[in-house]
Amino acid sequence: GNKSQDSGIAEMEELPVPHNIKISNITCDSFKISWDMDSKSKDRITHYFIDLNKKENKNSNKFKHKDVPTKLVAKAVPLPMTVRGHWFLSPRTEYTVAVQTASKQLDGDYVVSEWSEIIEFCTADYSKVHLTQLLEKAEVIAGRMLKLSVFYRNQHKEYFDYIREHHGNAMQPSVKDNSGSHGSPISGKLEGIFFSCNTEFNTGKPPQDSPYGRYRYEIAAEKLFNPNTNLYFGDFYCMYTAYHYVILVIAPVGSPGDEFCKQRLPQLNIKDNKFLTCDEEDGVMVYHHAQDVILEVIYTDPVDLSLGTVAEITGHQLMSLSTANAKKDPSCKTCNISVGR
């Protein structure tokens, strides 16, 4: 009898272990979490412990944030509970999460349950709200507008030979790489053809140097950008350099690319924006581009080579300027927003 009396005083009933964990309302920097648990001893729960970790992969930097605690101690609020701002959650990143229930004691210590099962989930891309924040930051540094007359695309001779031989002379859209902001909704998803449109300040013509090959396709601006196309802001980034890049998307109205962008990207007024404009003056289409950012333009439909010309450039092939799969500088104050990198 004495033994059972003693144990009743010394031992506490075990706290319920969370199970059937559900993750919902996932954004690029927040999520909601809920779970089921036995009602037994439920009234003793004062806190939840949530352990959140980036899912390890071969390319991850195991030393980065190694000493930063990943355990969130939260008061036992009604579920689902929103987790936001307790870590710098990165967009489009896989995480693992596990939960304990806890009871805070008079001495400040916690009695805790067993850990729940481990759940995996992936954070979302930047929303239109986040991209609008990036857009506003890009507008600040865009600079004055310069005239342009052509869009151009540099590649190796073999590329153009392949297009003529295998694609009936039409350049085909391909999936955008992972360069730029980690949360960009177009990376790895939007199909398009990259063009440049920046001009040299002193000549008003495209620069003779290029990182992408010695052959250049030039096409009159009005063939790609006109009142029958929509213009979208896609990204703003730098690669540990003094100059910044802005990605714009030109999509023919009603095309699959247009529908993709309409749902995900801020749309720009083609006649009035800080980056690339198309307007009519005296019956002629006139084009301008921002001077102080490097514009990367994605056109979402195939483009026939016969609409323009291919010629060899006279300048250098500057590989250091390539943006292929380039990683954004997460510490730059100019082109980062306060959500995950």
Side-chain angles (χ1 to χ4, degrees):
N2 287 344
K3 186 179 178 187
S4 62
Q5 271 186 329
D6 291 345
S7 64
I9 296 166
E11 292 177 10
M12 298 186 73
E13 256 183 300
E14 287 187 5
L15 292 171
V17 180
H19 61 271
N20 194 23
I21 294 172
K22 295 186 184 71
I23 305 291
S24 62
N25 294 73
I26 300 170
T27 72
C28 67
D29 65 343
S30 70
F31 61 92
K32 282 188 176 180
I33 185 167
S34 63
W35 56 83
D36 299 330
M37 53 190 165
D38 298 332
S39 55
K40 203 176 178 188
S41 299
K42 207 172 177 180
D43 55 340
R44 285 184 34 237
I45 297 170
T46 61
H47 291 77
Y48 304 136
F49 288 3
I50 299 176
D51 193 47
L52 181 77
N53 292 283
K54 271 188 185 177
K55 193 176 170 187
E56 288 291 353
N57 61 61
K58 283 180 282 186
N59 302 320
S60 66
N61 180 350
K62 288 188 170 59
F63 297 101
K64 193 176 181 187
H65 303 315
K66 191 175 175 66
D67 300 322
V68 177
T70 57
K71 191 181 290 179
L72 163 67
V73 180
K75 285 191 174 174
V77 295
L79 298 176
M81 180 176 75
T82 299
V83 177
R84 178 189 290 115
H86 299 92
W87 303 271
F88 289 109
L89 280 171
S90 296
R92 204 187 276 206
T93 303
E94 292 185 327
Y95 287 92
T96 61
V97 65
V99 191
Q100 286 176 314
T101 57
S103 176
K104 192 170 188 178
Q105 307 301 293
L106 293 173
D107 61 4
D109 282 343
Y110 290 93
V111 173
V112 295
S113 72
E114 296 291 323
W115 282 107
S116 70
E117 75 270 34
I118 295 171
I119 299 295
E120 297 179 2
F121 72 100
C122 186
T123 46
D125 297 334
Y126 284 157
S127 67
K128 271 192 190 178
V129 171
H130 299 119
L131 285 170
T132 300
Q133 292 174 21
L134 266 185
L135 164 62
E136 288 166 355
K137 295 194 79 135
E139 287 174 337
V140 171
I141 70 155
R144 71 189 182 101
M145 304 290 274
L146 301 177
K147 270 193 177 182
L148 72 111
S149 59
V150 298
F151 289 100
Y152 55 96
R153 173 172 171 80
N154 284 78
Q155 283 286 350
H156 300 285
K157 181 177 181 293
E158 293 76 14
Y159 168 82
F160 294 111
D161 290 343
Y162 186 86
I163 293 300
R164 293 184 188 101
E165 191 176 337
H166 297 280
H167 289 295
N169 217 41
M171 293 185 288
Q172 300 298 314
S174 59
V175 177
K176 185 197 168 295
D177 67 10
N178 288 313
S179 60
S181 300
H182 190 51
S184 171
I186 61 177
S187 292
K189 295 180 181 177
L190 177 68
E191 293 189 1
I193 305 169
F194 261 108
F195 285 91
S196 299
C197 65
N198 291 78
T199 58
E200 289 184 319
F201 180 74
N202 53 344
T203 66
K205 294 182 178 178
Q208 279 301 310
D209 300 324
S210 165
Y212 299 113
R214 296 196 56 79
Y215 282 77
R216 174 172 293 168
Y217 175 73
E218 283 191 11
I219 182 169
E222 62 264 23
K223 297 273 179 70
L224 298 187
F225 188 34
N226 53 60
N228 295 318
T229 55
N230 283 327
L231 181 68
Y232 298 91
F233 172 83
D235 201 3
F236 177 45
Y237 70 100
C238 72
M239 305 177 296
Y240 304 88
T241 54
Y243 40 87
H244 280 80
Y245 295 83
V246 168
I247 298 179
L248 302 175
V249 183
I250 298 175
V253 173
S255 66
D258 190 34
E259 294 305 313
F260 178 95
C261 294
K262 202 168 280 184
Q263 297 170 37
R264 296 168 177 84
L265 306 181
Q267 186 170 347
L268 302 176
N269 181 336
I270 66 169
K271 294 183 178 181
D272 182 21
N273 68 79
K274 299 283 189 183
F275 311 110
L276 181 66
T277 59
C278 155
D279 206 355
E280 194 173 322
E281 292 179 16
D282 300 324
V284 178
M285 299 306 290
V286 178
Y287 295 85
H288 290 86
H289 71 87
Q291 174 187 341
D292 294 336
V293 292
I294 299 174
L295 296 179
E296 298 182 304
V297 178
I298 301 176
Y299 186 76
T300 62
D301 271 13
V303 176
D304 199 291
L305 291 179
S306 65
L307 296 173
T309 57
V310 177
E312 190 171 2
I313 60 172
T314 57
H316 302 286
Q317 191 173 330
L318 303 174
M319 293 309 293
S320 61
L321 290 177
S322 173
T323 61
N325 286 309
K327 296 303 174 205
K328 180 174 182 173
D329 178 0
S331 64
C332 178
K333 298 286 191 291
T334 303
C335 62
N336 280 292
I337 52 178
S338 59
V339 295
R341 303 288 181 249

